[in-house]
Amino acid sequence: MHLTVEEALSIYPLSEAKLIAGAKGKHRIVKSINVMDAPDISDWIKEGEMLLTTAYLIKDSLEDASALLQTLNRRGSSALGIKLGRFWDTVPQELIAEAETLNFPLIELPFQFTFSDQMNGLFRAELSRSTSVLQGILEKQRKLMRFALRSGRGRPLLEAVSEVIGYKLAVVSSRGDIVYNNSEMNSSQLLEGWPWQHRNQRFRAGDRTGLRLPLMQGEKCTGFLLYCSIDPLLLPVEESLFIQGAELISYHIHSGYEDYFEPAEHREFSSLLRRCLSGGLSSAELSQAALRLEVKLLHSPFQLLLTETAVAGEERQGELLRLKEEYAEHPVLGKLNSIHVIMDEGLVSLLPSTGHSPEQLRELIHECFQGLKLDNGYSPRAAFSTVKVKPEGLKEAFAEVKECMSIARHWGAYGNVVHYRQLELNLLLGQIPPELMKKYIHGNLRGLLSREPEYVKEMLHTLEVYLDNDGHVNETAKKLFIHRNTATYRIEKLSELLDVDFKKIDDLMRLKLVFVFRKMLERE
C-alpha cells in the first residue's frame, strides 16, 4: 500500500471519518493497516502502519492511551483510528492535545462501518492505484522502446529520455564532470560522495531521494546517470524502468556520433565540423561558428588526424570511441584540447599544430595504439595532414589524410601511422613509367647489386633505415639492433660501393628516390 493519511481519508468509507488531531502529519505514508486486539500490539507495529482500535484496552487508563500514542509515533506508525460508540463516546481532550503536539494523526472512526469495511475500501483503492501505476510504467516502457528504435532522432537524447520516464535527471562523466542536468539539484548536491562505486545506489539531497546508475560499456564505467526527486516507495516498481533508461542512454552514447561527455560547445562544434567535412557547410561558416563557440582551433595553425580500424559494425564504433578516449587521456595529446568526430571515414581529430616532427607525432599515436591492448592481431591506422594556417585549409587537410590513408592501405607500407609529407613525393612521382624507375634503381645501386644476395639485402636494409632516420648513425644502430661501430662501417662501405658522399644533399636525394621507386614498384 502507498497512500498518505490525507489520501486514505478521502476514500469511502474512511472518508466518513474525522481527523481530530495531528493534521500536520497527514502526509505520513500508510503502508498497511492493523487492528489492535492484544495488550502488546504496540510492540508489533511496523513503520507506516495505521492502527485501528475500539479503545477497549485503553478505555480505563489515560496513561495507557498516552503510552500507546507515543509508542506508535516512535515506531513510525502513520495514524491511529479510534472507533467511538462502543467504549468511548468521545476521545479524551488530553489525548487529542498530545497527538497535536506530536503531529501524529488521530482519527475518529464512524460507528456504522466495520473495520473490514474501511480496510476493504482502502485495499480496493490501492489495487486501483497500483494497477494504474503499472499501466503507466508499461506505457513509459513502450515509449522508451519506440524512441530507442526510431532512426534519425530529432530531439536530444537525454531530454527525451527524461520526458518519457517522467523524472528529472543528470549525467556525470567518469571524471566527475556534470555534462547534463535538468533537475533542481546543484553540482555540490549531485556530486556528494564522489567518486562513486560502479553499482546502483540510492542517494539523498536534502529532503529528496534519488537513484544513481553507472553507465557501462562492457566492463568499463564511462559515467553515471542520476534520477532526481523520485518517490522511494515507488522505486521497487519503477527500478526496471530506470535501468532500461540507463541502458538506452549508454547504448546511444556509445553507438551514436554525438559524445555527451564532451563540453557542450565542443559537441556543437563537432556536429558542425562533421557537416563541413561532409560538404554541408562551408569553411567560412564553420569559422564563424568557431568564434561564436570560442573554439580557437581554426584560427591558429592546425592539422587533421584520421584514424581507422580494421573491424566493422558496432565493434568498429567501439574501437573508435576507445581510440578517442586514449587520445583524450594521453599525457601530451590530451592537453591539446582537440576536437574528435566519428565519421564514415574513421575518427577525425582536429588538433593544434604542436611543433612536433612527423616522427614524434607517429610515436605519440603509437603510444595510444599500445594503450588499447588489442588482441585481434592488428593495429589501427592513422594519417596526419600537413599544417594549415587558415580555416580554408580544413577541407584540403581532410583530402590529404584520406588520400594518405588510401595510399598507405593500398601499398601496405610506411607503417601504421603516416604523415602526408612522407607520401607527398610519391604522389608527384607516380606518373613516371615503371621502366624508367627500374633503370634509375639499377644505375644507382650497380656497385652493390653484383654482390651476394644476402649481403645485398642486409646492406640495402641498413641504407634504408639510415635514410629514414635522416642520416643519424646512432638512431640507425638502435633501429637495427647493432653496435654503432657496425653501423658506421656499413655506411662507409656503402659510400664506397655506390660512389656517393652521404654529406651531399644531391647524393642523399638520389638514394632516397631509389627506395621510393622500389616501394612503388613493389606495389605494382
Side-chain angles (χ1 to χ4, degrees):
M1 187 176 296
H2 179 67
L3 296 167
T4 65
V5 172
E6 184 178 30
E7 290 171 337
L9 289 172
S10 68
I11 298 170
Y12 185 84
L14 200 58
S15 58
E16 301 299 312
K18 182 180 179 182
L19 181 65
I20 59 175
K24 291 183 179 179
K26 63 184 179 181
H27 298 298
R28 295 192 183 203
I29 301 298
V30 181
K31 296 182 180 179
S32 59
I33 301 178
N34 204 341
V35 177
M36 186 172 77
D37 58 359
D40 62 344
I41 185 65
S42 61
D43 295 334
W44 301 96
I45 286 294
K46 299 176 182 177
E47 182 182 358
E49 212 162 38
M50 176 187 284
L51 182 62
L52 306 183
T53 180
T54 61
Y56 173 71
L57 294 174
I58 58 175
K59 63 184 176 59
D60 299 323
S61 174
L62 189 58
E63 291 183 359
D64 289 346
S66 176
L68 173 64
L69 196 65
Q70 292 179 14
T71 302
L72 293 177
N73 184 62
R74 187 171 60 252
R75 289 182 173 273
S77 172
S78 57
L80 173 63
I82 299 177
K83 186 175 182 180
L84 301 180
R86 184 176 294 275
F87 300 106
W88 274 355
D89 291 328
T90 60
V91 178
Q93 286 298 320
E94 294 86 347
L95 195 63
I96 293 175
E98 186 167 3
E100 190 68 29
T101 301
L102 295 173
N103 294 324
F104 184 82
L106 187 60
I107 302 170
E108 185 180 292
L109 300 175
F111 179 77
Q112 64 269 31
F113 296 106
T114 65
F115 289 154
S116 61
D117 290 337
Q118 292 157 348
M119 294 167 68
N120 286 336
L122 291 178
F123 289 147
R124 285 194 297 270
E126 174 62 17
L127 178 61
S128 175
R129 189 198 66 83
S130 298
T131 302
S132 176
V133 168
L134 289 174
Q135 288 175 340
I137 291 174
L138 288 174
E139 179 60 27
K140 289 178 180 179
Q141 288 179 328
R142 283 194 289 269
K143 288 181 179 178
L144 210 56
M145 186 62 67
R146 288 197 294 269
F147 178 77
L149 295 175
R150 191 188 313 144
S151 60
R153 299 189 313 272
R155 298 189 55 201
L157 171 66
L158 301 178
E159 178 185 320
V161 171
S162 176
E163 182 177 320
V164 169
I165 292 181
Y167 284 97
K168 302 294 184 179
L169 54 84
V171 175
V172 178
S173 74
S174 59
R175 298 183 179 90
D177 300 320
I178 298 176
V179 297
Y180 180 82
N181 178 24
N182 68 352
S183 74
E184 298 81 11
M185 296 184 184
N186 58 41
S187 58
S188 60
Q189 290 175 316
L190 291 171
L191 294 174
E192 184 176 351
W194 177 267
W196 304 315
Q197 295 179 335
H198 298 168
R199 61 184 178 86
N200 300 355
Q201 288 182 306
R202 294 190 189 189
F203 67 93
R204 290 195 65 81
D207 59 346
R208 298 185 180 95
T209 298
L211 179 66
R212 183 169 53 239
L213 303 172
L215 297 173
M216 304 300 295
Q217 181 68 11
E219 297 182 356
K220 183 176 181 180
C221 176
T222 58
F224 293 87
L225 172 64
L226 287 75
Y227 293 99
C228 306
S229 301
I230 64 176
D231 189 332
L233 295 176
L234 286 178
L235 181 56
V237 180
E238 296 184 315
E239 188 168 8
S240 61
L241 178 66
F242 295 148
I243 293 173
Q244 185 178 349
E247 291 175 345
L248 173 63
I249 289 173
S250 183
Y251 173 79
H252 277 289
I253 284 176
H254 292 91
S255 64
Y257 284 151
E258 191 168 4
D259 188 346
Y260 285 85
F261 296 139
E262 283 186 325
E265 61 274 11
H266 276 205
R267 287 206 306 271
E268 184 176 348
F269 182 79
S270 296
S271 177
L272 296 173
L273 175 61
R274 188 180 297 111
R275 283 180 56 196
C276 179
L277 296 179
S278 300
L281 194 71
S282 69
S283 298
E285 291 172 320
L286 181 64
S287 176
Q288 292 175 357
L291 289 173
R292 175 175 56 83
L293 296 170
E294 298 184 353
V295 176
K296 302 177 181 179
L297 285 172
L298 289 179
H299 300 92
S300 57
F302 66 88
Q303 60 191 133
L304 285 186
L305 169 67
L306 174 62
T307 312
E308 179 60 297
T309 179
V311 296
E314 291 186 10
E315 189 177 356
R316 172 184 182 266
Q317 190 78 11
E319 286 198 3
L320 291 178
L321 283 164
R322 288 173 61 196
L323 277 163
K324 178 177 177 178
E325 292 173 0
E326 286 292 330
Y327 292 163
E329 295 172 3
H330 188 273
V332 176
L333 297 175
K335 296 178 181 179
L336 301 179
N337 203 29
S338 305
I339 299 290
H340 308 275
V341 296
I342 296 178
M343 301 183 59
D344 293 338
E345 292 81 1
L347 176 64
V348 179
S349 304
L350 174 62
L351 59 158
S353 176
T354 60
H356 291 85
S357 67
E359 181 63 31
Q360 290 172 323
L361 290 173
R362 288 198 294 270
E363 288 298 324
L364 294 176
I365 299 302
H366 275 302
E367 290 175 8
C368 293
F369 288 175
Q370 291 170 2
L372 291 175
K373 298 179 181 178
L374 297 174
D375 55 1
N376 300 323
Y378 67 87
S379 177
R381 288 185 176 274
F384 280 98
S385 73
T386 55
V387 175
K388 308 300 177 185
V389 295
K390 293 183 179 180
E392 292 74 17
L394 179 65
K395 294 187 178 182
E396 180 183 352
F398 191 43
E400 287 180 1
V401 290
K402 289 194 294 182
E403 189 171 22
C404 201
M405 188 74 78
S406 176
I407 293 173
R409 186 187 302 114
H410 182 62
W411 289 6
Y414 302 102
N416 290 338
V417 185
V418 294
H419 195 285
Y420 189 75
R421 287 296 185 202
Q422 287 178 274
L423 305 182
E424 200 169 21
L425 188 60
N426 300 65
L427 297 172
L428 294 174
L429 301 176
Q431 304 301 318
I432 298 177
E435 294 77 13
L436 290 179
M437 293 184 188
K438 293 177 183 179
K439 183 178 180 180
Y440 183 89
I441 293 170
H442 189 271
N444 282 277
L445 298 181
R446 184 180 294 108
L448 176 62
L449 296 177
S450 60
R451 299 300 184 98
E452 294 292 326
E454 286 300 319
Y455 180 78
V456 171
K457 182 179 179 181
E458 181 180 62
M459 296 298 277
L460 281 177
H461 183 50
T462 300
L463 179 56
E464 184 176 18
V465 173
Y466 179 73
L467 294 172
D468 285 342
N469 286 277
D470 301 321
H472 295 294
V473 176
N474 288 339
E475 287 298 316
T476 302
K478 187 187 299 184
K479 294 290 176 63
L480 293 174
F481 302 101
I482 59 177
H483 193 274
R484 184 184 188 282
N485 293 342
T486 303
T488 301
Y489 169 78
R490 291 183 183 178
I491 297 303
E492 291 175 350
K493 190 64 177 176
L494 283 165
S495 176
E496 177 186 332
L497 292 171
L498 300 177
D499 190 23
V500 295
D501 184 350
F502 288 110
K503 295 179 181 180
K504 292 182 177 180
I505 294 178
D506 288 347
D507 286 353
L508 290 173
M509 177 60 75
R510 287 193 297 108
L511 292 175
K512 186 68 177 178
L513 283 174
V514 166
F515 289 99
V516 170
F517 288 156
R518 280 170 59 87
K519 288 176 181 177
M520 295 175 73
L521 290 172
E522 287 172 3
R523 178 200 65 174
E524 297 299 330

